Amino acid sequence: MSAISEQKIPVLRELEPLLPANEAVIKDRIVSSIYQQAEAICRQAVKTGKPPVNLDARLDGILTSRWLGFPIMLLLLALVLWITITGANYPSQLLAGGLFWLEEQLASLFMAWGAPAWLYGILILGVYRTLAWVIAVMLPPMAIFFPLFTLLEDLGYLPRVAFNMDNLFRRAGAHGKQCLTMCMGFGCNAAGVTSCRIIDSPRERLIAILTNTFSVCNGRFPTLIVLATIFMGALVAPAYSSMLAALVVVGIIMTGIVVTLFISYLLSRTLLRGVPSFFVLELPPFRKPQLGQIIIRSLLDRTLFVLGRAVVIAAPAGALTWILANSFVGDVSVFTRLTSWLDPLGQIMGMDGIILMAFLLGLPANEIVLPIIIMGYMSAGSMLELDSMSALRTLLLDHGWTWITAICVMLFSLLHFPCGTTLYTIFKETRRARWTLLALLLPLILGILTTLLVNQGAGLIKL
Amino acid sequence: MTVNCHIVSTEPGKDNPTVRNHFIIALAGNPNVGKSTVFNRLTGMKQHTGNWPGKTVIKAEGTFYHRNRRYTLVDLPGTYSLHAGSADEQVARDFICFSRPDITLVVSDATCLERNLNLVLQVLEITSQVVLCVNLMDEAKRKRIQVDTEKLAQELGIPVVGTAARSGQGLNRLKNVLGDMVDGKIVTSPRCVVYDQELESLVQQIEPRLAIYMPNWVNRRWVALRLLEGEFNLLNHIPHNALMDYPRGEIKEDGALCLL
C-alpha cells in the first residue's frame, strides 16, 4: 500500500489499520454484488418476449466476417468517394461560372469607380479569387461527401470497422479503440486527438494521439479529390475516370491507415513499449438513420464549418500571397524569392517551391493549400480565369505538373505536419512540448522521405 | 440485514426552491444509449450525435426552461461504471460526486436494461437525487421487450420515465418529473446496494470516522467503499476538513494525461 505510506492525507493515517490488504478481491466482491442486484431488479421489471428474427446479428455476421469484412469496407469507402467525385463535377462548374461572372461585374465596378490598381489587386485578384476558388471547388464535394459519411456513422457502421481492424491494431501494439479515434480523425484531427481520451492506458493513448494525423481529415479530402479527379481521371477513358479517381483517393486513405499501423508498431516497440490492453467493444444496434437530421447536421456542422474555416483563413492568406507576389526587391518579387529558395528541396521531392510554400502557409488550415498553390502560379505570370476543372488542369500542366507531381502532392498532403489547431490540441492533451514536437516531426520526416522515394523511383524507371 | 444508508441531504438553499431558480442537471448513462439525443431534445441544441460508443468525450452544457425554472444540463461522457478506470469515467464520476448537481439524470437503454442498471445503482450510492430515463422504448418494443417502469421505480426508489427520444416521446413527462423533483414534490428513497457481511461491517467501522475529515455533503458510505477498494486518489478531490468547502458546481477539469 504505497499510497497510504505517503501519509499525505491525515484520514488515511487514521484508517490504515482498518483497511484490508486484498483491495482487488474487495473490488470484485463489490462489483459482483452490484451485478446481482441489477439482475434481481431486472427479473422484476423486464419481460422478454420471443425476439423477432435478429436481422442485426445476421448483418453483423456479414459486415464483420473474416473474409467479407475488409472488402465490404473498401467497397463502401470507394462507393462513397465515387458518388462524391461524380456528383461534384457539374455543380462545381456551375458555381465557378457564377462566381467568376460576379468577378467580372466587380471588376467593372472597380473600373467605374476608378479604384487604384493595388486595391483591385488585393481585393479582387487576391481575396475574392481565392475565396471563389475555395467555394467552387470545395463546397460541392463536401456537400456530398459529408452527408454520406454521416449516414454511415448514423447507421452504426463505424464500430463494425473498429471490430474488423481490432486485430491489426493489437498486433501493432496499439489499443483497439484507436480505430475509433482514427475514424474520428477522418472528420477532424483535432477532434480525433481529443477523442483519444476514450483510451485508458497513457501509453496507448499517446500512440493514438501521435498517429491521428495520418487520418486524412475534412480539410484535406477536397484537395485529394480535386487532384485525383484532374490528374488520375485523365489517365483513362472518360467513362472510368471518376472510378479511377475514387480508387486513388481510397489508396491514399489506405496508405494513411498502413502508416498509422506501421508507426504504432514502431512506437510500441521503441519509445512507448508495453503490452496492449484488452477492452470490450460493444456493437451498437443498427438504427434507422434520421435522414433529415443527417443532411442538416452534416451540412451545418461539417460542410459549413470546414468551408467557414477555409474562407476565414483563405481571405487573409489570399491577400498576403498577392502582396508577397507583388512586392519587389530588386526586380524579383518577395514571393518568388521565398519560393525559389524552397525550390531545390521541392524539386527532389517531386514538387516545387510554390507547393512547399503553400503547405507552410497552410499551417493554420489544410483547406487553403491548393488555393495558395493556384494563387502562386497565377501571380507568377499567367493570369488565366479559372472557371473549370480543365482550366485548373491547364494551369497546373503549364507549371510543369505531371501525374507524379500530383501523387507527390497527395502523399505530402497525407504526410506532413498536422495543422495548427491539431498541434495545439495535442499540446493541450499531452501537456508536453516534446510530444507535440514529435507529432510535428514524425509525419514531416516521413512525408519528405516518401515523396523523395516516389519521385526518385519514378525517375529511375522513367515513368 | 439492516443497513444505514447515509444519503446525504444537502445544504440549506437546495431544499428551498423559492430561493433558487436555476438548477444543474447531470446527464449520465452508458455509451450509445441516446444520451446526446436526450440532451439535444431537452435543450433544443444541435450537438452532433453519432451511433457509436465514446462519441461524447468531453462535457457539453446546454440550458432549457421549464415551468419558469432554468436548468443547465451537463452531458457527461458515456460510461459503463463509475470506477474511474479511464479519463472519461473519472470525468463522469467526479462531476456527479463533487460538482453536486441538483439532479443526476441517468439515461439507459431499454433493450439491455440489466447492464445499464449497474451504473444506476452506482450513481444511487453517491446521490439520492436521481431520475432514471429508460430510453429507446420504441426499439425495445420492436424487440418484444417489455419494461415495467412503475415496477422499476418501486424497486429503485426513484422516479422512472420511459422515453423514445428520437421521436420525442415521453420527454414532456421527463421535464415535469425533473420540475417536481426540484420543487421537492418528489421524495426519493433510493435502493441501496447491500454487500456481504464482512464488507458491511468494515464500512460501518470506517464511515463514522470519516465525518471530521470531510464536509457534510460528501457521501461517506460511498467514500468508505472506495477506500476499501484502494482508491485513495479520491481523497485528493475532497477538502480534508469538515469545515472546509468549495462552492458547488465547480470542479477542476483534469482530462489531460500526464506522462513522466
Side-chain angles (χ1 to χ4, degrees):
Chain A
M1 288 199 195
S2 59
I4 292 192
S5 54
E6 281 173 28
Q7 304 283 325
K8 267 194 225 149
I9 302 168
V11 63
L12 280 179
R13 220 175 301 154
E14 183 184 327
L15 291 176
E16 190 176 4
L18 283 173
L19 295 172
N22 50 345
E23 296 144 11
V25 180
I26 287 181
K27 196 164 198 154
D28 283 350
R29 269 155 61 189
I30 288 177
V31 170
S32 73
S33 288
I34 293 176
Y35 269 65
Q36 278 164 21
Q37 291 182 45
E39 201 191 326
I41 295 170
C42 266
R43 268 202 302 275
Q44 301 278 322
V46 181
K47 284 196 189 71
T48 322
K50 197 169 152 261
V53 187
N54 197 339
L55 275 177
D56 276 20
R58 281 197 195 169
L59 208 54
D60 269 335
I62 298 170
L63 290 178
T64 60
S65 84
R66 185 188 287 225
W67 303 113
L68 289 175
F70 268 94
I72 290 179
M73 213 165 75
L74 290 180
L75 215 68
L76 273 175
L77 189 60
L79 185 73
V80 164
L81 286 166
W82 179 76
I83 295 175
T84 305
I85 289 169
T86 319
N89 225 340
Y90 185 67
S92 252
Q93 285 185 13
L94 218 63
L95 262 176
L99 287 168
F100 286 104
W101 173 82
L102 193 65
E103 185 191 314
E104 279 165 31
Q105 306 310 306
L106 283 173
S108 45
L109 211 65
F110 268 71
M111 297 282 220
W113 280 341
W118 62 266
L119 191 66
Y120 172 77
I122 291 182
L123 290 183
I124 302 296
L125 299 180
V127 177
Y128 181 84
R129 197 171 267 193
T130 316
L131 285 186
W133 204 89
V134 169
I135 293 172
V137 173
M138 287 180 44
L139 182 58
M142 286 196 301
I144 301 173
F145 179 76
F146 293 150
L148 288 175
F149 193 78
T150 316
L151 180 75
L152 284 184
E153 190 183 329
D154 212 47
L155 276 169
Y157 184 63
L158 292 191
R160 274 82 192 172
V161 174
F163 185 87
N164 285 335
M165 310 263 298
D166 175 48
N167 196 20
L168 287 175
F169 276 98
R170 213 177 16 236
R171 269 194 242 166
H175 197 285
K177 275 190 199 168
Q178 193 179 326
C179 181
L180 284 179
T181 65
M182 189 182 78
C183 287
M184 197 80 167
F186 285 128
C188 166
N189 290 149
V193 166
T194 310
S195 76
C196 292
R197 291 184 184 179
I198 61 174
I199 297 173
D200 310 352
S201 110
R203 181 189 76 87
E204 289 159 333
R205 188 165 154 199
L206 252 178
I207 295 179
I209 288 176
L210 291 175
T211 54
N212 197 273
T213 180
F214 302 130
S215 301
V216 179
C217 66
N218 280 343
R220 289 180 279 173
F221 267 120
T223 308
L224 295 184
I225 290 174
V226 169
L227 288 183
T229 309
I230 60 179
F231 277 94
M232 302 303 137
L235 290 176
V236 290
Y240 303 107
S241 63
S242 46
M243 213 175 294
L244 181 70
L247 287 180
V248 169
V249 179
V250 171
I252 295 284
I253 295 170
M254 294 314 291
T255 311
I257 295 177
V258 171
V259 170
T260 301
L261 289 168
F262 175 67
I263 296 295
S264 301
Y265 178 84
L266 279 188
L267 286 173
S268 69
R269 296 286 181 293
T270 53
L271 272 180
L272 298 162
R273 237 177 303 229
V275 187
S277 50
F278 286 87
F279 78 109
V280 178
L281 177 74
E282 185 186 6
L283 291 183
F286 291 103
R287 294 203 174 123
K288 200 176 73 191
Q290 300 160 292
L291 284 179
Q293 278 287 318
I294 287 179
I295 291 171
I296 293 170
R297 293 276 61 79
S298 57
L299 286 184
L300 291 183
D301 295 352
R302 293 192 164 156
T303 312
L304 285 188
F305 173 77
V306 174
L307 193 72
R309 211 169 86 119
V311 164
V312 165
I313 295 170
L320 180 70
T321 317
W322 190 89
I323 291 171
L324 285 180
N326 287 277
S327 2
F328 292 88
V329 181
D331 43 3
V332 187
S333 77
V334 179
F335 190 78
T336 315
R337 257 176 208 278
L338 288 172
T339 54
S340 55
W341 183 72
L342 283 169
D343 207 49
L345 179 64
Q347 291 298 339
I348 58 169
M349 287 160 65
M351 296 179 275
D352 60 32
I354 289 184
I355 299 173
L356 287 191
M357 186 71 189
F359 274 109
L360 281 177
L361 286 175
L363 176 71
N366 284 304
E367 288 87 335
I368 56 165
V369 169
L370 203 50
I372 294 180
I373 293 178
I374 292 161
M375 289 288 304
Y377 288 150
M378 290 200 300
S379 63
S382 63
M383 300 290 279
L384 82 164
E385 305 264 302
L386 276 179
D387 55 0
S388 69
M389 291 268 195
S390 62
L392 175 60
R393 182 177 151 77
T394 318
L395 175 75
L396 295 179
L397 285 175
D398 282 351
H399 285 85
W401 279 49
T402 61
W403 65 273
I404 302 281
T405 321
I407 287 278
C408 286
V409 173
M410 284 197 267
L411 282 173
F412 199 63
S413 171
L414 171 72
L415 306 167
H416 69 296
F417 37 79
C419 76
T421 318
T422 308
L423 283 173
Y424 175 64
T425 313
I426 293 174
F427 180 71
K428 260 194 348 200
E429 291 295 310
T430 60
R431 292 189 187 165
R432 290 291 181 279
R434 56 190 163 126
W435 292 122
T436 315
L437 194 67
L438 185 65
L440 183 144
L441 290 178
L442 200 70
L444 183 61
I445 291 170
L446 212 62
I448 292 176
L449 288 178
T450 311
T451 47
L452 207 86
L453 261 162
V454 168
N455 183 44
Q456 302 303 323
L460 272 181
I461 52 174
K462 299 234 166 21
L463 275 173
Chain B
M1 181 153 60
T2 53
V3 174
N4 273 339
C5 263
H6 274 279
I7 295 297
V8 190
S9 162
T10 41
E11 61 253 59
K14 185 164 176 177
D15 295 326
N16 188 355
T18 50
V19 180
R20 287 172 62 226
N21 202 24
H22 177 205
F23 300 91
I24 295 172
I25 298 177
L27 195 60
N30 286 19
N32 214 49
V33 294
K35 232 167 359 85
S36 297
T37 313
V38 170
F39 179 88
N40 286 349
R41 279 281 179 178
L42 285 177
T43 59
M45 271 171 76
K46 305 285 185 286
Q47 210 200 95
H48 179 71
T49 59
N51 185 8
W52 51 306
K55 190 203 58 75
T56 313
V57 211
I58 36 177
K59 295 186 308 226
E61 280 186 27
T63 16
F64 69 94
Y65 291 84
H66 184 63
R67 299 197 308 216
N68 290 324
R69 303 217 186 283
R70 190 159 84 107
Y71 298 91
T72 297
L73 201 57
V74 181
D75 192 7
L76 300 174
T79 56
Y80 292 105
S81 76
L82 295 178
H83 281 132
S86 61
D88 46 347
E89 276 177 0
Q90 203 182 337
V91 168
R93 184 199 74 181
D94 288 352
F95 191 84
I96 295 170
C97 184
F98 304 121
S99 289
R100 288 170 280 163
D102 295 283
I103 296 176
T104 302
L105 175 60
V106 185
V107 183
S108 64
D109 181 346
T111 63
C112 48
L113 202 57
E114 189 178 319
R115 187 179 47 197
N116 284 238
L117 282 183
N118 293 321
L119 181 72
V120 179
L121 289 173
Q122 286 181 38
V123 173
L124 284 178
E125 288 195 307
I126 301 180
T127 165
S128 62
Q129 296 298 98
V130 181
V131 173
L132 175 62
C133 160
V134 182
N135 194 27
L136 301 170
M137 287 295 265
D138 44 351
E139 209 163 297
K141 201 170 162 193
R142 209 162 47 76
K143 291 188 173 169
R144 314 241 168 90
I145 297 170
Q146 277 183 319
V147 179
D148 185 346
T149 49
E150 268 171 46
K151 185 82 194 161
L152 204 55
Q154 223 173 45
E155 288 287 323
L156 292 167
I158 52 167
V160 176
V161 183
T163 60
R166 273 156 55 107
S167 57
Q169 202 187 319
L171 286 162
N172 259 332
R173 246 203 84 213
L174 183 60
K175 283 188 198 174
N176 288 334
V177 167
L178 291 172
D180 288 348
M181 192 116 155
V182 298
D183 286 350
K185 286 185 200 158
I186 295 177
V187 181
T188 58
S189 53
R191 181 189 182 112
C192 183
V193 177
V194 183
Y195 299 98
D196 56 64
Q197 218 142 16
E198 190 200 333
L199 272 177
E200 288 294 348
S201 76
L202 280 168
V203 170
Q204 304 270 318
Q205 289 174 57
I206 295 172
E207 212 186 303
R209 297 184 188 220
L210 293 172
I212 55 162
Y213 292 109
M214 43 200 68
N216 208 27
W217 54 265
V218 177
N219 186 335
R220 292 192 291 272
R221 176 180 163 85
W222 181 72
V223 174
L225 283 162
R226 299 293 78 77
L227 291 181
L228 283 169
E229 286 180 341
E231 224 176 88
F232 307 120
N233 269 337
L234 185 72
L235 293 172
N236 294 325
H237 293 277
I238 307 175
H240 295 167
N241 187 311
L243 302 172
M244 252 161 51
D245 205 349
Y246 57 83
R248 59 188 295 152
E250 265 179 35
I251 189 162
K252 273 177 289 172
E253 178 81 51
D254 198 20
L257 88 162
C258 288
L259 289 171
L260 292 170

